[in-house]
Amino acid sequence: MNRMRIWGAAAVMVVATAVACGQTNPPGEHAQHNETVTSSPGTAMPTGPTIAIEGMGFSALGPVAPGTEITIVNNDEVEHSVTSRAKDVFDVHVDGKGQATLKVPEAPGEYAFYCLYHPAMVGTLAVR
């Protein structure tokens, strides 16, 4: 009888773990405003302003004009986000090896951002 309880508990743990680990947030689930969330693996490199994500870090981007569209290129295998530290400014999620577009806020300023999935990944967007 004890063996049946142990096997039953183990089966419940395996199923619960599989469900928890198998759940993923679709790119738009965390979406705020002022953004377009798309993911398109294998798309050609953009010609305009770009933030590249590679090696668990963001590339530097010089100042951009208000309302500019920035392409985010995720060269890593895992999903990342470009999420504003200020609430409801921008939150773009990009699948591994994917691309997305971020529309820059209209108000000039410095916008600190990070990756929601990897909080040590940080950057700043300068809008002028």
Side-chain angles (χ1 to χ4, degrees):
M1 188 72 166
N2 279 340
R3 285 187 180 169
M4 299 235 357
R5 284 186 189 159
I6 291 170
W7 280 106
V12 168
M13 287 176 49
V14 169
V15 169
T17 302
V19 169
C21 292
Q23 292 175 338
T24 60
N25 295 326
E29 184 171 309
H30 297 286
Q32 310 282 322
H33 63 38
N34 203 18
E35 67 176 327
T36 301
V37 180
T38 57
S39 189
S40 49
T43 304
M45 284 301 293
T47 57
T50 304
I51 295 175
I53 301 172
E54 190 165 8
M56 302 297 278
F58 298 109
S59 66
L61 176 67
V64 294
T68 300
E69 286 195 1
I70 297 174
T71 301
I72 301 166
V73 178
N74 182 358
N75 293 316
D76 285 345
E77 297 287 334
V78 298
E79 182 177 8
H80 290 294
S81 77
V82 177
T83 304
S84 172
R85 293 257 182 219
K87 185 174 170 77
D88 296 334
V89 177
F90 54 85
D91 184 22
V92 178
H93 296 248
V94 189
D95 289 335
K97 299 294 183 184
Q99 293 186 12
T101 303
L102 164 67
K103 184 175 179 193
V104 172
E106 293 294 332
E110 301 280 321
Y111 295 90
F113 62 87
Y114 69 107
C115 174
L116 184 66
Y117 306 106
H118 311 98
M121 292 175 57
V122 296
T124 301
L125 176 62
V127 180
R128 298 194 177 111

